[in-house]
Amino acid sequence: MPSLTDDVVRRLYEEPPDGFVATRAAAIEEARAAGDREAAKRLAACKKPTVAAWVVNLLARKRPDLIGELVDLSEALRAAQRELHGDQLRELSQQRRQFVSALVAAARKLAVAAGAGAGKLPLGEVEATLTAALADPEIAAQVRTGRLIRSAAYAGFGEVPRPRLRLITGGDAEDAEEGPDAGDAEPARGPDRDRAAQDRAAQERRRREIERRRRDLERDLAAAEAAERRADEQLHRAEIAELDASNLVDDLEAELAELERRRTEAVADVARRKQARRTAERESAAARRRVGDVQAALDDLSEQ
């Protein structure tokens, strides 16, 4: 069962960070007054999150199911990369981009519902943190706690970019083929020795051809990965720009709705004031007529 301290910690990392310090200070003071030094120490260790970290924390605490899906997808991506399943990796990378965009949108809604201004949220940092969580299991574990204090970033993607290949020299290959006692064996003579020399030469040619082909493929892979990174960065910028534009539209629509409400109130106020003016005009005219009548009566008395 969660303790009162757990409830305070949860509130600290769910509420907007602008009230973090005051809430923490009040909770520490309350714990000290109650003589609970351990709780006071635990609360003092809580660090104020940045706005981006707060948004990610809010997502982790309010929608742990989505963070669980993120962890599952990250494990699948790392497995596909370790095994170099190209088609599967491309499909999962596409899922990654779509899923991260959906997570950012969900986090934005939660932050706005919690009182944050939609136009001031650092959604680029939120997306970078979620992308890093997909690439790095340690970052994913930190995100899952709901207690990040700053955003995260990841330079690459995947834990092992490609298998590490060991180059075997010609001497190593020959030693492996000949075995540990090959130096003591009787050298082949005549046609057998020539045939063995031809076999070794053919094997060396095949080894060199495989090595050349491997280097070509590694260059192609590096170029493809670089192109993918550039495409991902371009897509990231486009998605952020689209999200920012969508946020701006939402903000403008909210402002327009507020202005329309104020205009309606102002029109109603003008109508009320116009009616009041007309009433005042009628009362003023009646007062003037009354003044005239009284003055006429006074004049009649004076003439008698």
Side-chain angles (χ1 to χ4, degrees):
M1 183 176 180
S3 66
L4 291 177
T5 304
D6 292 331
D7 290 339
V8 174
V9 171
R10 176 187 55 77
R11 190 168 71 251
L12 280 172
Y13 287 96
E14 284 184 4
E15 294 179 353
D18 53 3
F20 185 96
V21 174
T23 301
R24 182 185 59 187
I28 292 173
E29 185 63 27
E30 184 178 350
R32 286 174 177 168
D36 193 343
R37 293 185 178 181
E38 187 63 31
K41 182 178 179 181
R42 179 182 171 192
L43 290 168
C46 294
K47 304 299 182 183
K48 178 182 176 180
T50 64
V51 175
W54 167 69
V55 175
V56 176
N57 290 337
L58 200 60
L59 182 67
R61 291 177 175 273
K62 297 291 187 180
R63 294 298 307 273
D65 55 320
L66 294 180
I67 301 301
E69 292 180 26
L70 179 143
V71 172
D72 292 342
L73 180 58
S74 69
E75 292 174 352
L77 278 164
R78 287 193 294 274
Q81 191 158 17
R82 282 194 300 269
E83 298 166 7
L84 293 180
H85 291 167
D87 293 339
Q88 183 184 8
L89 185 57
R90 283 190 292 272
E91 180 181 353
L92 289 171
S93 296
Q94 179 65 21
Q95 291 180 22
R96 169 176 61 88
R97 289 189 290 268
Q98 295 173 350
F99 188 54
V100 168
S101 297
L103 288 180
V104 172
R108 175 182 175 273
K109 287 184 178 180
L110 290 171
V112 171
K120 298 180 180 180
L121 293 173
L123 298 179
E125 294 181 43
V126 173
E127 180 172 7
T129 300
L130 294 172
T131 301
L134 277 170
D136 190 325
E138 291 186 2
I139 296 177
Q142 294 173 13
V143 167
R144 208 165 195 171
T145 66
R147 293 183 58 179
L148 285 180
I149 59 173
R150 62 179 61 87
S151 58
Y154 195 78
F157 193 78
E159 55 187 0
V160 181
R162 63 175 64 88
R164 298 183 63 183
L165 302 177
R166 176 176 177 268
L167 300 182
I168 300 177
T169 64
D172 292 338
E174 291 170 358
D175 291 343
E177 290 172 2
E178 293 173 359
D181 298 328
D184 299 329
E186 183 71 21
R189 298 181 181 278
D192 290 340
R193 183 173 61 185
D194 293 340
R195 188 161 49 249
Q198 291 173 359
D199 290 343
R200 285 194 297 273
Q203 289 175 1
E204 179 64 17
R205 286 194 298 272
R206 283 197 300 272
R207 186 191 65 79
R208 290 178 179 175
E209 177 60 24
I210 291 172
E211 179 63 21
R212 183 191 64 79
R213 180 58 177 163
R214 184 187 65 79
R215 288 195 299 268
D216 291 344
L217 289 174
E218 284 190 338
R219 282 194 297 269
D220 292 344
L221 178 60
E225 288 177 339
E228 182 185 23
R229 285 193 297 271
R230 289 193 297 270
D232 283 346
E233 291 171 359
Q234 184 176 2
L235 175 62
H236 170 74
R237 290 192 295 269
E239 289 173 343
I240 292 298
E242 179 187 9
L243 192 57
D244 290 343
S246 176
N247 294 341
L248 179 60
V249 169
D250 291 343
D251 292 342
L252 290 174
E253 286 179 347
E255 291 178 9
L256 285 173
E258 175 63 17
L259 289 173
E260 180 62 25
R261 183 189 65 79
R262 292 170 59 186
R263 188 187 74 84
T264 301
E265 291 180 352
V267 168
D269 188 52
V270 168
R272 287 192 299 270
R273 293 177 184 275
K274 182 180 292 186
Q275 183 61 37
R277 178 184 59 80
R278 289 174 178 173
T279 300
E281 286 177 346
R282 288 194 297 270
E283 292 176 352
S284 178
R288 283 196 298 272
R289 286 194 300 272
R290 177 61 179 164
V291 169
D293 292 344
V294 172
Q295 186 63 50
L298 287 172
D299 292 344
D300 288 344
L301 286 174
S302 297
E303 291 175 357
Q304 292 180 3

